[in-house]
Amino acid sequence: MPTADHALAPPPASAPPLLAPLTPAVRRAAPLLPVVAVVALLALPVPSGGTGDGPQITVADVASGLVVALCVLTAVRSARRPLTRAAALLFGLPVVGVTVAACAAPTGGAALAGAARYLQVFVLVPLAVLSLLRDGRDVRVVAWAFVGLAGWQGGLGVHQYVTGTGASYMGEDIRAVGTFGPTDVMGMATVVSFGLVCALSLAFRDGAPRQRAAAITCAALLLVPLALSFSRGAWIATAAACGAVLVLSGVRRALRVLLAATAAAVVLVGGFGVGSQMLQQRLGSITDVADAPDQSVTDRYTMWAASLDMWRERPLTGVGLKGFPEYRDSHASVALSSGSDTAGAGHGFARQPLLSPHNMYLLILSEQGLLGLCALAGCWVGLLACGLRRWARTRALPAAPGDRLDCALLACGLLVWQLVDFLYADIGGPSTVLTAVVLGVAAWWGVGDHTRRREVPTP
């Protein structure tokens, strides 16, 4: 017969009731956490380093290396083939192009560093993200991480504009740059653009009204810091990506959204006069850069011409990885300035050297030749073609799950943004690691093995 102490003692519990449902969720999310960490770590302030030729290693870059290591460990433990044939073929092309360019480069050390960077951004990290993503729910988690990062960086950018603590622009410290500083004025614009495209894509998920409302709100709010970044390239790429998302979601829906956005713009700008004079001038300069270009546009055109001249000198393999700065002066005209002036956002005045043509395709063409351009661009175009083909097949199925549309829009929209932005920018800076994550998401949708794991709908 039990004593009173035994009768009052609580029965032993195998696990606390609050932790019991948490354990499976944590176990399921564990493979995805490193990918989310890569995105989240870009919210940290960028250390003020030099402006030398060497790459600037950030915490997010280190985390991306851990993602690759985790992917390799997972593949070894599972003893399965981690990639489809299409993925192995597409991502094998850049490996060939980069290897040939590195072997043909006259400077061995710089070429090896450039090859490591290219393989990190365009091969290793995208394949790791592709392998760690399991279903549409994982993709949406990564997308919301993009939106959260964009909200943080965009909020800081708006504060910089309002308080006059941003990067220098036309003599005033008003340019929104977030934590990236004046030496990487495209960093915040890239992050905010990715977040806006993700939010717009998530707004088309059926059966999730709360998510759709939150996504629409975030997309509208992110327009403000994107405008205050004064980045014409990001504006053009975002317009192209959002247009692609709307068209893929349905032509009629795209026309309705376009009409509503046009009406809102007319009311805000024409009726209430929203938008500073600098912003309007920057927007108008997109159409007249060829008539009266400023010095930054002149430098860009000059470096584009120099890139083509380098390619004509060595059309097949180019001048070698990291060779553009070395050959720039011998191929550029006298119209090229010595560098660009940077200041503001907590930094003093500095002269930023022009180490790239600010065009990814011309950078590859000049340093890796026609072989490297066909390899890298062929991989990107192949990913977009495979993504569009899978989008078409998904929409054609009579019993296709409706909540997969947002994943298709997300992958294709982000890839379109990156391909258009490469016309005005190239890799470099802390935000470059996000390009690798974007390629991994696009690869999951276009060439991932979706028969191995069935998507579990979100309750």
Side-chain angles (χ1 to χ4, degrees):
M1 182 175 180
T3 63
D5 294 338
H6 288 92
L8 295 176
S14 57
L18 293 179
L19 296 181
L22 185 63
T23 304
V26 172
R27 188 185 305 114
R28 187 191 187 282
L32 188 64
L33 291 180
V35 181
V36 176
V38 171
V39 180
L41 287 173
L42 287 177
L44 299 176
V46 177
S48 56
T51 59
D53 297 351
Q56 185 179 8
I57 306 299
T58 64
V59 181
D61 290 318
V62 177
S64 69
L66 297 179
V67 170
V68 175
L70 176 63
C71 172
V72 173
L73 179 61
T74 302
V76 172
R77 293 185 60 185
S78 60
R80 61 172 177 80
R81 188 178 66 181
L83 302 177
T84 62
R85 293 181 179 178
L89 174 62
L90 288 179
F91 285 98
L93 292 176
V95 175
V96 175
V98 170
T99 302
V100 173
C103 295
T107 55
L112 289 178
R117 185 63 164 168
Y118 272 91
L119 293 178
Q120 173 207 4
V121 176
F122 297 120
V123 179
L124 297 178
V125 177
L127 288 180
V129 174
L130 163 64
S131 301
L132 295 177
L133 292 176
R134 293 159 296 183
D135 49 40
R137 183 163 56 179
D138 286 354
V139 174
R140 295 181 193 108
V141 171
V142 175
W144 279 113
F146 271 101
V147 176
L149 176 63
W152 166 252
Q153 293 287 358
L156 292 178
V158 173
H159 179 267
Q160 290 170 341
Y161 175 83
V162 173
T163 59
T165 56
S168 178
Y169 177 76
M170 297 183 67
E172 300 183 37
D173 295 342
I174 58 173
R175 189 167 190 175
V177 293
T179 62
F180 295 98
T183 58
D184 186 17
V185 293
M186 282 293 296
M188 192 213 73
T190 300
V191 169
V192 171
S193 299
F194 283 154
L196 198 155
V197 174
C198 289
L200 181 62
S201 303
L202 292 170
F204 291 103
R205 185 186 179 192
D206 296 329
R210 293 183 179 179
Q211 174 180 288
R212 297 183 64 178
I216 293 174
T217 303
C218 291
L221 293 176
L222 289 176
L223 289 173
V224 178
L226 179 61
L228 299 180
S229 68
F230 296 102
S231 176
R232 291 171 294 198
W235 292 349
I236 296 173
T238 303
C242 292
V245 169
L246 293 176
V247 171
L248 294 178
S249 66
V251 178
R252 294 182 179 179
R253 183 182 295 175
L255 292 176
R256 290 197 300 267
V257 174
L258 181 61
L259 290 175
T262 303
V266 170
V267 172
L268 291 175
V269 178
F272 298 99
V274 176
S276 66
Q277 185 178 1
M278 288 185 180
L279 184 59
Q280 295 176 9
Q281 291 177 354
R282 187 70 166 177
L283 185 62
S285 67
I286 294 177
T287 58
D288 59 8
V289 290
D291 299 331
D294 53 27
Q295 186 59 47
S296 64
V297 177
T298 301
D299 289 340
R300 184 164 302 190
Y301 287 163
T302 304
M303 290 189 294
W304 288 2
S307 301
L308 292 174
D309 198 34
M310 294 178 197
W311 168 67
R312 294 188 189 98
E313 184 178 307
R314 298 181 183 180
L316 186 59
T317 59
V319 298
L321 289 174
K322 294 291 185 177
F324 180 86
E326 181 180 352
Y327 290 86
R328 178 198 60 196
D329 294 337
S330 60
H331 292 80
S333 67
V334 295
L336 182 66
S337 64
S338 60
S340 59
D341 299 334
T342 61
H347 295 71
F349 176 83
R351 192 74 172 169
Q352 191 77 4
L354 303 175
L355 303 177
S356 68
H358 296 292
N359 182 304
M360 191 64 201
Y361 304 106
L362 292 180
L363 176 64
I364 298 173
L365 188 64
S366 62
E367 293 188 345
Q368 304 181 40
L370 195 59
L371 178 62
L373 181 62
C374 291
L376 279 164
C379 173
W380 305 334
V381 174
L383 287 178
L384 183 59
C386 292
L388 293 175
R389 182 181 63 178
R390 188 160 189 271
W391 163 82
R393 289 180 177 178
T394 302
R395 288 182 63 89
L397 293 176
D403 60 349
R404 301 298 289 272
L405 177 62
D406 59 334
C407 295
L409 302 180
L410 183 71
C412 295
L414 289 175
L415 189 55
V416 167
W417 189 95
Q418 193 63 76
L419 295 183
V420 174
D421 183 71
F422 275 162
L423 294 171
Y424 314 97
D426 47 51
I427 60 173
S431 61
T432 300
V433 70
L434 292 182
T435 298
V437 179
V438 165
L439 292 176
V441 172
W444 173 85
W445 173 256
V447 294
D449 186 3
H450 296 265
T451 61
R452 187 175 64 250
R453 300 182 182 95
R454 182 175 60 87
E455 182 177 10
V456 180
T458 304

